[in-house]
Amino acid sequence: MKYKHLLTPLKVGNKIIKNRMSYPNASPHFLQGPEDYPAEGYRAFVSNLARNGAAIIDLAEWDNPDQRKGPMDMDMTHMQSFDMTNPAVHNYQAQLAEEVHFFDSKVFVSMQEKMPAGYSMDGGRFPMGPNGKPTEILPTERVKEAVDLCVEACRTYKLLGFDGLTVRVDNELIKKPNPRTDMYSGDSIENRTRFTHEWFAAVKKAFGGDFLIKAVIAWEQPDGYGPFTRPGGGYTEKEAEEFIELFDDVVDILEIRESDVCKSHPTGYTMKEDVHPAVDFAAKMKAKGVKMLMAPIGGFQSPDEMEKILAEGKCDMFVLARGFMADYDLGDKIKKGLGEDVVPCIKCNKCHGTILPEHEPWISVCSVNPLMGKSGKIHRMTANLTHEPKKVAVIGGGPTGMRAALYAAGLGHDVTIFEKTDSLGGQLFHSDYFSFKWPVKNYKNWLIREVQKNDKIKILLNTEPSPSDIEKGGFEAVLAATGAKASLPKSIEGIADENGNAKEGVYTCLDAIPKEKELGKDIVICGGSEVGMETAMFLCENGHNVTVLTRQNELGHNCSKLHYITMAWIKITDDGRAVESPAWEKYENLKGIVSVTTKKVDGNTVYYEDADGNEHKITADNVLICGGMKPLTDEALSYAASTPEFYAIGDCNGAGNLQICNEHAYSRAMLI
Ligand SMILES: Cc1cc2nc3c(=O)[nH]c(=O)nc-3n(C[C@H](O)[C@H](O)[C@H](O)COP(=O)(O)O)c2cc1C
Ligand code: SF4
């Protein structure tokens, strides 16, 4: 058994937890429609998590139907918001629990405190935020009523088959203005969390080990952190420890996040590979003899890494959200000891929703798992597809070509990848250079490893077949993944010759990356898209001074607005507040000039115009052009008549990102 510790069950209270991996409160945003009950897509997603190895699954509760009717700035357009006041809804909740139990897993409800109507503990708004309804402060003598309501809510869930309760308590740990003056307020952790302790103690008294309690904290929060806090807010590691001591009698499992909202959704930028401060904190608590089980969360997926940490006794279990989403065969691969075959999550947070100004509402999908969120419908969609083994040519050894080859080989086809360069990986080569792209590098290397070891896939490097080569070669289907190339916009004078090739000294961002060492100190990048900004950050990290010119009114305009939880960092402002700030603001040697149009490049000088039509110029050692990508569609279509079946996939068919590339790879392979 390669992953013995990871697969060893645990007895917690009166429940057996089947292994050491659980799933947090992390529901993809698009699975639920307007239904007041868990929709089929949502139920299928949840039961698939259980099948995929999640021993405990937290389900969002949000039992306030009003929440969904509000504007976009709250979660109501996408979040589950089940009407638990309607007994018919209970049926579907019970079915959900039954589906999870079928796979020997447990289901917890992720609950907020219950209050008598119109009241809250601190007189804030419910649900939180400016659009919530104002509430009154619950009088001290009525707090018991609130505790009873919380216990009754747990009783309902327990009757429906739920196994426990999850509560995020770090909101209480954070110091924030509180108008109360009784023992439920004040600076001490004991007072701040007194209500929650009374609630948990009452649940324990009512249900004992039959209904478990999981608390979620971060191991510390920066001073002044959070929308409602000000300097002097946040909480320290010592306060987190104090909380643990106070709650050790009532909490069964402690989910421990990293220290702030950016790091609690870790990316290649906010997290270093193999570095997990939450594990160190868990180990420290275990060494102190704490009883509650320590379950760190944030960036875990590698079975080898989790196994090692458990074997060292540093924690008791792990909580994984994106790890389960990125690979729907994670559980099976762990059972078979095939850790290196797990599809690496690239930590892009697309599953958390991509909300772009021109792209509403929230769509949450997975960049590397085209099946993510399709559990409820994929069987219907593919029911009539049959797969006779065929000879398949894949043109292009980039990420789309390799993934399509893997899917086609998995369906029994005999696959040949033709790659015109001397290496596999296509545009993902940049991940070998950017320090913060290590998750993408892991994904690229996983693709290369998987195609190389697959005996149904033949790889021909330095080979660009003609359409007649394909026809003569007896291929029966082509998956053309010819990709895209960086373009040089015609609107900028002086960058390209009459054939459209870059003039001497002009680089596209992609061309410049491997030549970084040859570039001078001062660099201008024309174009401030995500690619431009990431290239700028890479150059800054390597000691260059970079100025980015963009005609948009902000840098990184096409970054997901969830950038704030993908590559943001916590900046402490002059007045002591902790503000989530875009990655590029960290670099003192990076300057952005917005709302300007690059007109001309002459040698090392860039001429640009501001919004008022005033002309400016800037001189640098090198000028980089970041002007988007041109799909190599004609190259792909040239193969269209060479086999009875032809599909253009990936960037040559307008994909533009890994998620759509992988959708193409999976679905077109399924069509063969
Ligand atoms: C789709 C999605 C939805 C999430 N929703 C919530 C949420 O509603 N509340 C919350 O506290 N955390 C939420 N999270 C954060 C996760 O609970 C978790 O902390 C984070 O994904 C880091 O863990 P991971 O690296 O294993 O994914 C969400 C994460 C994802 C991917
Ligand atoms: S690859 Fe991206 S979208 Fe998929 S699970 Fe990981 S972070 Fe989410």
Side-chain angles (χ1 to χ4, degrees):
M1 242 173 109
K2 189 167 175 199
Y3 304 116
K4 189 171 155 190
H5 295 86
L6 205 47
L7 292 174
T8 303
L10 260 177
K11 183 159 185 286
V12 189
N14 299 332
K15 309 262 174 189
I16 294 176
I17 308 300
K18 72 178 178 185
N19 64 38
R20 305 304 180 95
M21 295 174 294
S22 74
Y23 188 83
N25 181 5
S27 300
H29 302 167
F30 67 126
L31 293 172
Q32 186 70 30
E35 304 89 342
D36 281 345
Y37 52 84
E40 169 61 16
Y42 180 75
R43 298 205 303 278
F45 173 78
V46 171
S47 66
N48 184 56
L49 284 170
R51 182 204 57 80
N52 194 16
I56 301 173
I57 298 163
D58 284 356
L59 296 187
E61 181 198 29
W62 291 116
D63 65 343
N64 181 350
D66 280 353
Q67 192 182 346
R68 248 198 270 124
K69 298 182 188 126
M72 276 297 286
D73 66 340
M74 280 290 292
D75 277 344
M76 55 301 271
T77 48
H78 62 288
M79 274 297 189
Q80 298 70 41
S81 189
F82 308 133
D83 182 4
M84 290 299 284
T85 61
N86 177 356
V89 171
H90 298 184
N91 296 342
Y92 274 127
Q93 294 283 26
Q95 287 190 33
L96 236 178
E98 184 190 36
E99 288 188 36
V100 170
H101 290 162
F102 180 87
F103 293 103
D104 196 20
S105 300
K106 304 287 182 261
V107 58
F108 283 24
V109 57
S110 195
M111 196 184 271
Q112 292 184 308
E113 74 267 21
K114 308 290 166 218
M115 289 282 142
Y119 289 97
S120 70
M121 285 305 282
D122 62 1
R125 289 175 178 267
F126 185 83
M128 66 256 192
N131 297 307
K133 291 185 185 142
T135 56
E136 283 183 44
I137 297 175
L138 187 69
T140 313
E141 64 279 9
R142 292 191 66 186
V143 170
K144 169 83 174 46
E145 262 178 72
V147 170
D148 290 346
L149 286 173
C150 292
V151 174
E152 283 320 299
C154 290
R155 190 185 308 282
T156 303
Y157 279 101
K158 185 170 174 299
L159 282 171
L160 298 175
F162 282 60
D163 304 280
L165 160 76
T166 296
V167 181
R168 191 168 168 184
V169 293
D170 61 350
N171 281 336
E172 273 123 83
L173 289 172
I174 290 173
K175 274 191 225 106
K176 48 182 180 267
N178 186 344
R180 295 189 79 94
T181 52
D182 60 5
M183 72 274 222
Y184 297 98
S185 67
D187 271 355
S188 75
I189 290 288
E190 188 174 7
N191 279 4
R192 275 189 254 160
T193 58
R194 187 183 299 279
F195 171 74
T196 310
H197 194 280
E198 288 178 5
W199 165 13
F200 288 1
V203 169
K204 280 279 156 234
K205 189 168 170 219
F207 313 119
D210 291 333
F211 201 70
L212 304 181
I213 298 181
K214 180 167 105 172
V216 183
I217 63 162
W219 57 274
E220 67 174 6
Q221 292 286 18
D223 187 12
Y225 168 78
F228 306 110
T229 58
R230 53 193 177 195
Y235 62 90
T236 61
E237 179 169 328
K238 195 165 158 292
E239 287 178 312
E241 286 181 35
E242 209 180 307
F243 162 82
I244 291 169
E245 271 166 35
L246 280 170
F247 279 67
D248 208 20
D249 58 337
V250 288
V251 166
D252 298 294
I253 301 171
L254 186 71
E255 180 180 312
I256 309 164
R257 291 185 174 201
E258 298 290 341
S259 70
D260 61 53
V261 74
C262 313
K263 287 188 199 147
S264 81
H265 300 80
T267 65
Y269 183 75
T270 55
M271 169 190 170
K272 290 210 162 40
E273 198 169 11
D274 307 333
V275 178
H276 300 287
V279 170
D280 300 334
F281 180 70
K284 187 171 156 191
M285 293 301 99
K286 278 179 72 71
K288 273 173 88 175
V290 167
K291 285 202 303 283
M292 63 177 87
L293 299 173
M294 294 290 141
I297 179 170
F300 296 103
Q301 188 193 32
S302 156
D304 290 271
E305 182 184 53
M306 291 188 287
E307 177 67 16
K308 181 167 176 285
I309 295 172
L310 285 172
E312 289 167 353
K314 290 184 172 166
C315 66
D316 301 291
M317 55 195 304
F318 291 94
V319 188
L320 301 66
R322 298 168 302 170
F324 280 116
M325 288 190 224
D327 190 339
Y328 273 5
D329 294 319
L330 178 71
D332 281 347
K333 287 175 184 169
I334 290 176
K335 279 186 213 153
K336 290 178 186 156
L338 301 174
E340 70 160 27
D341 291 340
V342 171
V343 186
C345 160
I346 61 168
K347 304 188 173 29
C348 59
N349 283 329
K350 263 198 148 185
C351 46
H352 219 312
T354 57
I355 183 163
L356 295 173
E358 69 276 19
H359 185 191
E360 293 177 5
W362 292 57
I363 305 290
S364 43
V365 282
C366 178
S367 290
V368 301
N369 180 8
L371 287 171
M372 215 284 271
K374 292 195 182 74
S375 308
K377 58 185 180 184
I378 195 68
H379 299 293
R380 165 176 57 77
M381 289 165 70
T382 58
N384 297 323
L385 300 177
T386 52
H387 309 286
E388 295 295 318
K390 287 188 182 144
K391 194 169 170 191
V392 177
V394 173
I395 315 291
T400 316
M402 285 193 280
R403 197 70 193 268
L406 286 171
Y407 280 123
L411 292 166
H413 302 301
D414 185 5
V415 183
T416 304
I417 299 177
F418 296 92
E419 167 54 42
K420 66 180 174 188
T421 71
D422 60 2
S423 58
L424 296 168
Q427 282 177 41
L428 297 190
F429 81 87
H430 76 279
S431 63
D432 286 335
Y433 295 86
F434 290 21
S435 66
F436 45 89
K437 286 286 185 178
W438 59 265
V440 175
K441 183 173 161 181
N442 285 348
Y443 177 70
K444 173 188 65 97
N445 292 344
W446 171 84
L447 280 172
I448 295 173
R449 222 171 37 236
E450 295 293 308
V451 291
Q452 282 175 341
K453 74 179 187 188
N454 192 311
D455 56 14
K456 293 206 76 70
I457 299 177
K458 185 164 147 197
I459 301 163
L460 298 177
L461 297 178
N462 300 307
T463 312
E464 193 172 6
S466 66
S468 73
D469 292 337
I470 296 296
E471 201 171 340
K472 286 185 204 136
F475 288 96
E476 294 160 283
V478 166
L479 292 164
T482 48
K485 70 170 190 181
S487 49
L488 295 165
K490 291 203 175 80
S491 57
I492 306 178
E493 200 186 316
I495 56 173
D497 62 20
E498 55 282 3
N499 299 321
N501 297 319
K503 280 195 176 168
E504 173 104 28
V506 173
Y507 297 91
T508 63
C509 279
L510 282 182
D511 291 338
I513 294 164
K515 297 188 179 138
E516 179 276 315
K517 295 272 174 288
E518 298 164 27
L519 301 178
K521 182 89 177 159
D522 296 325
I523 293 174
V524 172
I525 298 183
C526 305
S529 64
E530 188 164 22
V531 174
M533 294 318 295
E534 288 190 350
T535 308
M537 286 158 52
F538 155 69
L539 293 171
C540 287
E541 284 188 355
N542 284 283
H544 302 269
N545 299 321
V546 182
T547 304
V548 177
L549 305 177
T550 174
R551 68 195 153 93
Q552 310 294 334
N553 60 7
E554 59 175 342
L555 295 173
H557 68 281
N558 66 338
C559 294
S560 155
K561 290 305 166 220
L562 286 170
H563 205 78
Y564 287 95
I565 55 166
T566 57
M567 281 173 67
W569 59 293
I570 296 285
K571 181 165 74 179
I572 306 295
T573 59
D574 290 344
D575 62 353
R577 280 175 305 115
V579 179
E580 288 145 27
S581 311
W584 44 86
E585 286 186 17
K586 200 168 198 171
Y587 300 88
E588 282 177 5
N589 47 348
L590 197 164
K591 185 175 157 204
I593 304 179
V594 299
S595 305
V596 295
T597 310
T598 304
K599 293 288 188 188
K600 185 169 112 178
V601 176
D602 186 3
N604 292 354
T605 305
V606 180
Y607 295 84
Y608 64 93
E609 202 175 274
D610 66 23
D612 299 324
N614 302 313
E615 288 191 1
H616 305 263
K617 64 177 180 177
I618 182 169
T619 301
D621 295 315
N622 297 95
V623 179
L624 272 47
I625 306 294
C626 180
M629 302 295 289
K630 182 180 175 308
L632 296 172
T633 312
D634 292 341
E635 286 78 348
L637 288 176
S638 68
Y639 297 96
S642 52
T643 54
E645 277 189 80
F646 167 84
Y647 301 100
I649 56 174
D651 284 348
C652 71
N653 196 357
N657 64 45
L658 253 188
Q659 181 254 322
I660 300 176
C661 286
N662 281 327
E663 289 270 354
H664 285 184
Y666 172 73
S667 73
R668 297 341 178 244
M670 288 293 283
L671 296 182
I672 295 173

